[in-house]
């Protein structure tokens, strides 16, 4: 499953990030590398973008971007 | 021991080290890591803002006294960056300077890498990239107090050993650790600068980059887990609890509206007092000069050109100060990122980034700072689109035009018995501006600025109490930027326009009397130009006198009021507004019908809303886009839009039976 589909406040881990140019690279540089724990905090009032917590800080990303991140649920 | 990734080296050549009297130290780090706070604490007020050569990214430079014996070092505050793989102009500039590819005057003797102690892993990503360039580096561990408070125990020595560079914990606001930082930097400089700048290859293709990246994070995690003891895992932070309200589905937008209203109140109401004070001081000064100097061309230049021009520039300062006071507080507190988070979906509907919200909001005060604020938008096409529509936000310079028209034609009228018609019209102007901006943005993004949606990825930094030292610094630098960049243009253009209205001289009659002034302006280059364009603006309901006003208001929109005052022979001090209103009401066309009707007023308001009658905006767009192409395009398409809209308003209004 991908980061945009998991329920909020559930612990997950990044499985893989689709590399489509600078875009995927930037996501990984921000700490979303395979193995990193990640949690969806909430979605913005209009449903998009979403707020995730990764490496103890908060990051906003759009759903299309979250789609390129495969995650697995659980610690 | 140095546990740094072994990455392939691609370039070892470097320019020879030139002899320098003062050391150059650059401060680099992630956005929101406390870089500016540290820079301000180290330099105090000894700093200035400049542009990097050839581009529009700002640099802050200051002097840092490392020790009493040494001459103060030159400290350069780089734009924040997350990685050496830059994705925005700001990041590119910072990267080039860090890798020694920037201007030689900015090549660093030492790099102070600012690392946020509360967000170590991600901050160390850039730090390790920089360490691998083998340049002299000192790490300043900021927010150390916050880390301690949130039960992060950082073994600084261990961290320093693992990274192979000095690490100095600092708390910039309390000036803790600043001396240690100076000592660490001094001893690095004494050791001499490495003779080669080593550029490291983060990989040539996505696969290589990805594997380097994963290795780098694995390395950082190992270093951090060795050096840091955390007893704070899994707890929801204070920021997250604040966000429950601030970005809540219902309360979030409400908070945003309240914040916006406060900003508007400040710009429109609170700023008016100091603005009219400045206005009065300068007209008093002008009167005094007129009273003491013999009447003539020189006195006219001094009073109508220079004093009026300087006054016009300074009158903008209260608004700019108040706007940036709010912007800096909102930015420093962490709210700005939340506003972008809330607004992104809406902004994206027209193809823009959530970050475009702040510049556009600022443009309601003045498009000049608003356009300056577009620098945070990473994608260049997005940024240009935002710049192109910023002038449609009804700025405060339009207000005098609106209020004059309303005072002349709509005063005292009510809608539904309670709401004043004037307020409704002003609101309609704002909404029309926004609607046109949305349409234009959509068109631009689907034609000449067509591009895939840029990545949004934006940090939501923890909420912090704004540091008022930082806010003060930001205000000072904004004011100086405005005075230097926009102020000089406004002054130059106001002198030029004065010349257009002062030449050729109308006979040898000494000027000073209002009647003479009217005769002078009618005969001047501007007056002739007004007559020249009369056939073109007649379908909009305007005559040649308004034409002169349109030409004069190209300097700044509110100039039309003083110009009309001269043309209608009522004197030009602001107290005479009521007499100007009377003059407008009484003005007749050649056939005896009233020239100014409510419909002409609305047509003029719409023209002023949509036309880019602002040399300062043109000048700042030239600076920000680094070409004349965009400002010329902007003036052109806005003029066409304004003309068409006024035409439709006036002609359509006539057909519908309005007058």
């Amino acid at each position: 499953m991908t980061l945009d589909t998991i329920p909020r406040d559930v612990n997950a881990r990044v499985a893989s990030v689709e590399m489509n140019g600078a875009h995927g690279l930037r996501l990984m540089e921000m700490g979303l590398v395979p193995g990193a724990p990640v949690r969806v905090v909430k979605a913005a009032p209009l449903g998009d973008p979403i707020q995730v917590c990764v490496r103890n800080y908060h990051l906003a990303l759009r759903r299309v971007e979250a789609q390129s991140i495969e995650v697995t649920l659980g610690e | 021991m140095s546990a740094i990734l072994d990455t392939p080296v691609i370039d070892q050549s470097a320019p020879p080290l030139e002899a320098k009297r003062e050391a150059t130290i650059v401060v680099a780090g992630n956005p929101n890591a406390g870089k500016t706070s540290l820079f301000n604490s180290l330099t105090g007020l000894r700093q200035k803002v400049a542009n990097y050569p050839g581009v529009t990214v700002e640099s802050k430079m200051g002097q840092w006294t490392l020790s009493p014996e040494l001459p103060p070092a030159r400290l350069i505050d780089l734009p924040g960056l997350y990685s050496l793989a830059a994705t925005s102009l700001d990041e590119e500039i910072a990267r080039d300077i860090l890798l020694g590819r920037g201007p030689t005057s900015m090549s660093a003797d030492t790099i102070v890498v600012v690392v946020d102690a509360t967000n170590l892993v991600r901050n160390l990503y850039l730090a390790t990239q920089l360490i691998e360039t083998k340049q002299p580096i000192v790490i300043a561990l900021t927010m150390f107090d916050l880390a301690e408070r949130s039960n992060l125990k950082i073994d600084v020595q261990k961290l320093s050993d693992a990274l192979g560079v000095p690490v100095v914990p600092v708390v910039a606001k309390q000036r803790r650790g600043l001396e240690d930082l100076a000592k660490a930097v001094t001893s690095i400089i004494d050791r001499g600068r490495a003779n080669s700048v080593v550029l490291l290859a983060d990989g040539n293709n996505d696969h290589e980059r990805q594997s380097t990246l994963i290795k780098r994070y694995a390395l950082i995690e190992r270093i951090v887990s060795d050096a840091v003891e955390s007893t704070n895992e899994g707890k929801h932070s204070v920021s997250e609890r604040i966000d429950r309200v601030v970005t809540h589905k219902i309360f979030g937008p409400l908070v945003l509206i309240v914040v916006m209203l406060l900003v508007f109140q400040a710009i429109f109401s609170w700023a008016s007092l100091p603005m009219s004070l400045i206005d009065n001081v300068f007209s008093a000064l002008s009167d005094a000069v007129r009273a003491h100097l013999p009447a003539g061309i020189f006195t006219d230049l001094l009073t109508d050109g220079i004093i009026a021009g300087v006054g016009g520039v300074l009158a903008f300062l209260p608004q700019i100060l108040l706007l940036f006071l709010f912007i800096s507080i909102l930015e420093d507190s962490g709210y700005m990122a939340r506003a972008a988070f809330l607004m992104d979906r809406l902004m994206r509907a027209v193809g823009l980034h959530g970050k475009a919200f702040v510049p556009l909001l600022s443009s309601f005060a003045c498009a000049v700072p608003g356009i300056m604020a577009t620098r945070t938008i990473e994608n260049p096409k997005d940024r240009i689109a935002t710049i192109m529509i910023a002038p449609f936000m009804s700025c405060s310079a339009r207000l005098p035009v609106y209020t004059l028209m309303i005072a002349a034609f709509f005063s005292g009228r009510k809608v539904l018995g309670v709401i004043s018609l004037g307020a409704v019209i002003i609101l309609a102007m704002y909404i029309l501006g926004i609607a046109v901006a949305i349409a234009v943005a959509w068109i631009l993004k689907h034609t000449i600025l067509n591009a895939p949606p840029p990545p949004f990825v934006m940090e939501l930094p923890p909420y912090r109490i704004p540091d008022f030292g930082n806010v003060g610094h930001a205000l000072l630098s904004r004011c100086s930027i405005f005075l230097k960049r926009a102020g000089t243009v406004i002054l130059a253009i106001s002198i030029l326009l004065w010349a257009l209205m002062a030449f050729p001289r109308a006979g040898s009659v000494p000027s000073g009397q209002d009647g003479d002034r009217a005769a002078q302006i009618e005969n001047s280059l501007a007056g002739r130009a007004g007559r020249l364009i009369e056939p073109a603006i007649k379908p909009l309901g305007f005559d040649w006198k308004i034409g002169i006003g349109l030409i004069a208001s190209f300097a700044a929109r509110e100039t039309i009021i003083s110009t009309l005052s001269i043309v209608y022979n009522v004197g030009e001090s602001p107290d005479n507004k009521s007499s100007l209103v009377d003059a407008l009401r009484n003005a007749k066309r050649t056939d005896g019908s009233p020239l100014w009707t409510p419909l002409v007023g609305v047509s003029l308001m719409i023209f002023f809303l949509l036309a880019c009658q602002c040399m300062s905006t043109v000048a700042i767009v030239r600076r920000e886009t680094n070409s004349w192409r965009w400002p010329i395009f902007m003036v052109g398409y806005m003029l066409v839009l304004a003309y068409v809209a006024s035409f439709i308003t006036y002609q359509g209004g006539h057909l519908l039976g309005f007058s």
Side-chain angles (χ1 to χ4, degrees):
Chain A
M1 62 182 63
T2 53
L3 187 58
D4 60 314
T5 59
I6 61 170
R8 38 187 287 190
D9 272 331
V10 170
N11 292 318
R13 269 178 200 280
V14 177
S16 67
V17 180
E18 197 185 306
M19 292 291 282
N20 42 0
H23 183 146
L25 183 68
R26 180 42 56 110
L27 287 174
M28 291 180 69
E29 283 174 337
M30 298 300 279
L32 289 159
V33 295
V38 63
R39 169 172 64 88
V40 172
V41 179
K42 66 164 67 170
L46 294 168
D48 198 9
I50 60 171
Q51 177 180 359
V52 302
C53 181
V54 59
R55 301 187 186 280
N56 249 337
Y57 82 96
H58 290 253
L59 194 64
L61 61 167
R62 290 179 179 161
R63 286 190 182 273
V64 284
E65 291 154 353
Q67 244 166 38
S68 61
I69 302 169
E70 276 290 328
V71 293
T72 51
L73 290 186
E75 282 296 316
Chain B
M1 179 194 87
S2 174
I4 293 306
L5 279 185
D6 190 19
T7 40
V9 164
I10 55 172
D11 183 9
Q12 291 226 318
S13 66
L17 176 65
E18 73 266 53
K20 269 194 234 160
R21 273 174 293 119
E22 55 177 10
T24 299
I25 299 160
V26 303
V27 188
N30 286 182
N32 309 307
K35 205 165 51 64
T36 303
S37 226
L38 179 66
F39 179 82
N40 287 342
S41 298
L42 292 176
T43 58
L45 287 171
R46 293 170 303 169
Q47 52 172 270
K48 59 172 200 261
V49 181
N51 262 35
Y52 288 108
V55 292
T56 53
V57 176
E58 276 171 18
S59 75
K60 278 207 285 183
M61 274 189 216
Q63 290 195 320
W64 178 21
T65 310
L66 288 166
S67 75
E69 307 92 66
L70 292 171
R74 204 156 59 108
L75 196 63
I76 302 174
D77 187 18
L78 293 187
L81 77 171
Y82 287 109
S83 144
L84 292 180
T87 61
S88 69
L89 185 59
D90 278 22
E91 286 195 336
E92 274 169 36
I93 298 291
R95 176 203 59 200
D96 286 351
I97 289 166
L98 287 170
L99 295 182
R101 296 186 212 153
T104 44
S105 64
M106 292 199 181
S107 66
D109 295 300
T110 305
I111 299 172
V112 172
V113 184
V114 172
V115 168
D116 178 353
T118 63
N119 191 354
L120 264 183
V121 176
R122 201 209 59 216
N123 274 254
L124 283 176
Y125 183 82
L126 173 72
T128 57
Q129 276 188 322
L130 284 171
I131 290 167
E132 282 157 31
T133 66
K134 305 206 168 56
Q135 299 182 77
I137 281 174
V138 175
I139 287 182
L141 206 53
T142 53
M143 321 269 176
F144 202 68
D145 52 338
L146 293 177
E148 282 171 338
R149 239 180 287 156
S150 59
N151 296 324
L152 284 172
K153 289 200 180 63
I154 302 173
D155 187 331
V156 174
Q157 191 54 48
K158 240 185 200 170
L159 197 60
S160 166
D161 288 345
L163 294 168
V165 297
V167 177
V168 183
V170 295
V171 183
K173 233 187 278 186
Q174 299 161 21
R175 310 194 62 81
R176 264 169 64 193
L178 300 189
E179 273 175 39
D180 293 340
L181 187 64
K183 272 183 211 147
V185 168
T186 314
S187 74
I188 288 260
I189 292 175
D190 287 348
R191 244 184 278 162
R193 181 173 166 199
N195 265 324
S196 65
V197 175
V198 182
L199 305 188
L200 95 165
D202 263 321
N204 298 314
N205 55 46
D206 280 353
H207 183 73
E208 282 177 31
R209 278 191 209 109
Q210 184 169 9
S211 72
T212 315
L213 212 156
I214 293 170
K215 269 193 266 173
R216 194 187 302 284
Y217 261 110
L219 171 81
I220 295 168
E221 273 165 21
R222 210 169 58 235
I223 293 174
V224 170
S225 67
D226 276 355
V228 180
E229 209 182 297
S230 172
T231 52
N232 194 30
E233 286 299 322
K235 243 173 67 184
H236 286 188
S237 59
V238 179
S239 285
E240 209 172 316
R241 271 176 273 152
I242 297 175
D243 270 341
R244 276 186 201 153
V245 177
V246 171
T247 58
H248 183 268
K249 272 191 165 43
I250 294 152
F251 299 122
L254 286 180
V255 171
L256 185 64
I257 289 170
V258 170
V259 169
M260 280 176 60
L261 279 178
L262 194 67
V263 173
F264 270 60
Q265 177 71 14
I267 297 170
F268 291 135
S269 298
W270 305 346
S272 62
L273 187 74
M275 281 171 83
S276 56
L277 193 71
I278 291 171
D279 225 37
N280 291 344
V281 166
F282 276 85
S283 39
L285 183 66
S286 179
D287 290 346
V289 170
R290 254 185 212 293
H292 288 93
L293 289 182
I297 185 102
F298 174 73
T299 307
D300 281 358
L301 170 66
L302 203 58
T303 53
D304 296 344
I306 295 171
I307 294 176
V310 172
V313 170
L314 293 184
F316 274 106
L317 274 188
Q319 283 184 330
I320 291 191
L321 272 171
L322 277 167
L323 175 68
F324 276 98
L325 175 70
F326 276 98
I327 287 192
S328 334
I329 290 175
L330 294 179
E331 239 162 30
D332 243 42
S333 65
Y335 183 75
M336 229 32 151
R338 270 75 183 181
F341 178 69
L342 290 176
M343 295 303 293
D344 181 64
R345 186 66 194 82
L346 270 187
M347 302 306 286
R348 193 169 10 132
V350 291
L352 296 178
H353 190 286
K355 285 182 184 171
F357 175 70
V358 174
L360 291 179
L361 176 64
S362 317
S363 300
F364 280 111
C366 177
V368 173
I371 287 166
M372 282 157 69
T374 60
R375 282 165 198 224
T376 51
I377 301 168
E378 285 145 19
N379 180 298
K381 286 187 173 174
D382 259 31
R383 181 160 173 249
I384 301 252
T386 310
I387 290 174
M388 286 297 122
I389 63 166
F392 287 125
M393 304 298 119
S394 211
C395 71
S396 52
R398 278 136 165 147
L399 274 181
V401 183
Y402 298 163
T403 50
L404 176 69
M405 292 300 122
I406 283 163
F409 308 114
F410 304 102
S411 67
R413 294 210 218 161
K414 299 266 186 234
V415 177
L416 303 173
V418 276
I419 310 159
S420 90
L421 180 60
V424 173
I425 291 176
I426 291 186
L427 185 68
M429 288 298 147
Y430 279 88
I431 293 171
L432 179 65
I434 295 169
V436 170
I438 289 172
V440 169
W442 192 89
I443 292 169
L444 288 177
K445 288 293 290 181
H446 286 82
T447 53
I448 52 174
L449 295 173
N450 194 9
F456 177 69
V457 187
M458 178 185 70
E459 189 179 354
L460 296 168
Y463 287 104
R464 285 180 191 129
I465 294 167
D467 174 355
F468 285 90
N470 283 352
V471 172
H473 273 108
L475 286 187
L476 273 180
S477 77
R478 284 305 124 188
C479 283
S480 83
I481 286 167
F482 172 76
L483 289 179
K484 276 185 219 151
R485 296 190 196 159
T488 46
V489 174
I490 295 178
L491 183 58
I493 298 297
S494 65
I495 292 172
L496 177 76
L497 281 159
W498 167 80
L500 279 181
M501 288 187 257
F503 296 102
R505 307 298 284 168
S508 57
V509 201
S511 70
Q513 296 303 307
D514 287 341
D516 294 340
R517 293 165 72 88
Q520 167 61 39
I521 202 167
E522 282 172 28
N523 184 50
S524 69
L525 290 171
R528 292 169 198 196
R531 285 183 202 276
L532 196 69
I533 63 170
E534 188 171 30
I537 56 176
K538 210 166 184 173
L540 314 183
F542 307 157
D543 72 339
W544 64 272
K545 286 184 177 177
I546 304 178
I548 298 176
L550 293 184
I551 292 165
S553 63
F554 197 69
R557 294 178 175 90
E558 69 276 20
T559 314
I560 191 172
I561 290 166
S562 53
T563 312
L564 286 178
S565 303
I566 300 173
V567 174
Y568 283 109
N569 208 357
V570 290
E572 56 174 328
S573 99
D575 312 333
N576 289 1
K577 196 165 154 192
S578 58
S579 53
L580 178 58
V581 165
D582 289 338
L584 294 186
R585 284 180 183 157
N586 295 330
K588 298 273 188 288
R589 288 183 197 274
T590 39
D591 61 6
S593 63
L595 168 65
W596 289 86
T597 61
L599 189 58
V600 173
V602 172
S603 173
L604 189 75
M605 280 196 267
I606 288 177
F607 191 89
F608 268 80
L609 170 68
L610 299 179
C612 186
Q613 284 163 300
C614 180
M615 278 308 293
S616 310
T617 302
V618 174
I620 208 84
V621 173
R622 157 76 186 85
R623 285 202 62 95
E624 292 296 321
T625 60
N626 235 340
S627 94
W628 275 111
R629 208 159 57 102
W630 288 112
I632 289 171
F633 171 73
M634 183 154 114
V635 171
Y637 93 82
M638 288 182 72
L639 188 63
V640 170
L641 258 178
Y643 187 89
V644 170
S646 283
F647 184 90
I648 293 172
T649 307
Y650 188 71
Q651 299 298 335
H654 255 304
L655 287 178
L656 292 173
F658 291 104
S659 65

